[in-house]
Amino acid sequence: MTDTAHVVIVGAGFAGLSAVGRLRKAGLHVTVIDQHLYSTFQPLLYQVATGGLNPGDVAYPVGGFTARRDASYIRGDLVAIDHAARVVRLAGGREVGYDYLILATGVSANYFGVQGAAENTFGLYTRTDAIVLRDHIMNGFEWLSADPDGRREFAVTVVGGGATGVELAGTLGELRNDMLRATFPDVDPARFHVRLVETAPELLMPFHPKLREYTRRQLVKRGIDIRVNTTIREVTNGQVLLADGTWHRSDLTVWTGGVAGPESDASWGLPQGKAGRIIVGPDLRVHGTDQIFATGDIALDEDNPAPQLAQPAIQEGRHAAEQIIRLVRGEPTEPFHYHDKGTMATIGRRSAVVQFPRGARITGTLAWFAWLGLHLVYLLGNRNRIATLINLSWRYIAWGHGGGVIVGDEPSEDVPAETEDARASGTSSERAG
């Protein structure tokens, strides 16, 4: 193999884009394939969904990224892999040949077989998801305001007590307590209910118990109804049924409770493990292949699984690139070792938790600034960094002064029931591995 080997990367998320620069520096030809024109910064989607950021603040053009690194970009959706011919086939019939292939397509929601969850919940995995969810949240506020008798109530259920669920629930609590009062003073905040449901005994299970307890207290302070050790059996258009047989009103149900490989990966002819993720070996090569790597959330090393977070995805993308370079040079591959730089989650204004690998932990304002700084570093594009810094700073400085609420069209008289079409338009079709 020569140094002009062609590497195809499917997926323009953390893992995929982190591999591009290393491969190009080694002189390899690189093509990035993604079905969207932009890469989405998923950790801040909940801010888009709650009106704190504009959709463009978390999106960066893939073509601009690849052009500055002398790589190629093709807009397309992977539908099949011809292993013998080393060709990937895209929707519409286009074929792209490769010498090495990196799969970094990301994942979609895992509903764990819960009846009605796919049809009656909103996801928060893509830019489209965030926009649809934002419009329904804001229209829900308007729907409350349009009730002259003050009898309407609006209930949101967030399923999943991981970082995304905690961040979304905490921000919704602050919207109710501060923004709703300032923007719609005629609406009693008590008419807006937020419930967070988690099957585990505590929230943020990967964190230290003291950080979990801090998180619980902060959410309770923001008026969130927390239900741990609780399993959802069924979701309908307007209610959720818990495993204990009780029904709860839920005008808007947001699913952040788990991820799975995209349905299309079943047609790729690759070994699949838990939740449809692709099984890889220690060097991140897909089991049974020599030229195909899988990275990010889609990849599963059953003997040494990595956390499904941004940092592992970035490191895996770089590692896959380095192993391809070693193979091109005729050298053996090396196993992937995740370097834990710490984990963090924000709960709301001046409230976050940070856990470092050697046991150090911080909470509160300092942790929140650490969270903000890290996210600004990993955002693509100076415009996005500046816009995010300004918008988030304004949001948290202007709490209680009406800033940051996005209102939509005239609210319908039956907003909580108007969900089917919007859910259909906001399916998790974007992938950002």
Side-chain angles (χ1 to χ4, degrees), residues 196-406:
L196 178 60
V197 179
E198 168 58 42
T199 58
E202 294 185 75
L203 306 174
L204 297 181
M205 285 300 291
F207 287 75
H208 188 276
K210 290 186 177 179
L211 299 184
R212 297 181 212 156
E213 176 57 22
Y214 171 85
T215 300
R216 188 196 65 80
R217 293 197 310 268
Q218 289 296 315
L219 288 174
V220 170
K221 180 180 177 181
R222 288 163 173 77
I224 307 304
D225 177 12
I226 301 173
R227 303 293 180 93
V228 294
N229 284 317
T230 301
T231 301
I232 291 180
R233 181 183 299 170
E234 182 181 352
V235 182
T236 68
N237 188 2
Q239 289 183 312
V240 295
L241 172 64
L242 304 184
D244 63 6
T246 61
W247 286 93
H248 293 271
R249 174 174 178 166
S250 184
D251 302 306
L252 192 63
T253 305
V254 187
W255 195 274
T256 68
V259 295
E263 293 182 1
S264 58
D265 68 359
S267 65
W268 299 344
L270 300 174
Q272 293 179 276
K274 183 179 180 181
R277 298 168 65 194
I278 297 173
I279 300 175
V280 299
D283 61 358
L284 300 182
R285 271 190 289 188
V286 176
H287 273 194
T289 71
D290 294 323
Q291 294 85 24
I292 302 178
F293 291 76
T295 59
D297 289 347
I298 191 65
L300 175 62
D301 181 351
E302 294 179 311
D303 296 325
N304 189 27
Q308 291 179 283
L309 301 170
Q311 254 312 309
I314 292 170
Q315 294 179 31
E316 288 180 353
R318 291 172 181 168
H319 184 82
E322 290 166 357
Q323 302 323 296
I324 290 174
I325 294 168
R326 293 181 67 86
L327 290 171
V328 168
R329 293 173 178 170
E331 301 172 357
T333 60
E334 297 177 337
F336 171 73
H337 297 290
Y338 171 49
H339 176 55
D340 186 1
K341 297 183 179 180
T343 311
M344 58 179 60
T346 182
I347 304 157
R349 183 187 186 190
R350 293 187 298 180
S351 180
V353 292
V354 177
Q355 179 172 286
F356 294 103
R358 296 187 181 274
R361 304 179 295 273
I362 57 176
T363 61
T365 302
L366 181 60
W368 188 86
F369 278 114
W371 170 87
L372 177 61
L374 184 68
H375 283 68
L376 291 176
V377 167
Y378 281 105
L379 265 173
L380 291 175
N382 289 329
R383 190 213 72 85
N384 284 1
R385 295 188 184 104
I386 294 171
T388 297
L389 177 62
I390 293 173
N391 287 336
L392 289 185
S393 297
W394 176 254
R395 162 167 244 185
Y396 289 108
I397 290 172
W399 280 118
H401 299 284
V405 167
I406 300 173

Side-chain angles (χ1 to χ4, degrees), residues 174-209:
E174 291 182 330
L175 280 176
R176 175 190 56 203
N177 299 337
D178 299 309
M179 291 294 194
L180 183 60
R181 188 188 305 277
T183 309
F184 300 106
D186 56 317
V187 176
D188 181 358
R191 294 162 56 199
F192 178 42
H193 309 279
V194 182
R195 178 179 292 111
L196 178 60
V197 179
E198 168 58 42
T199 58
E202 294 185 75
L203 306 174
L204 297 181
M205 285 300 291
F207 287 75
H208 188 276

Side-chain angles (χ1 to χ4, degrees), residues 157-180:
T157 300
V158 180
V159 182
T164 302
V166 165
E167 291 170 343
L168 178 61
T171 306
L172 286 173
E174 291 182 330
L175 280 176
R176 175 190 56 203
N177 299 337
D178 299 309
M179 291 294 194
L180 183 60

Side-chain angles (χ1 to χ4, degrees), residues 92-167:
R94 181 172 182 177
E95 296 185 344
V96 181
Y98 66 86
D99 294 308
Y100 293 95
L101 175 64
I102 298 177
L103 298 173
T105 57
V107 290
S108 57
N110 185 353
Y111 299 108
F112 301 103
V114 175
Q115 184 178 348
E119 299 81 11
N120 298 305
T121 68
F122 292 83
L124 193 51
Y125 301 96
T126 72
R127 178 176 172 270
T128 301
D129 289 343
I131 295 170
V132 171
L133 182 57
R134 179 198 67 188
D135 289 346
H136 275 73
I137 292 171
M138 301 308 167
N139 279 332
F141 290 168
E142 291 186 82
W143 183 77
L144 291 175
S145 178
D147 176 19
D149 299 324
R151 295 179 179 178
R152 291 176 178 173
E153 295 186 347
F154 187 56
V156 177
T157 300
V158 180
V159 182
T164 302
V166 165
E167 291 170 343

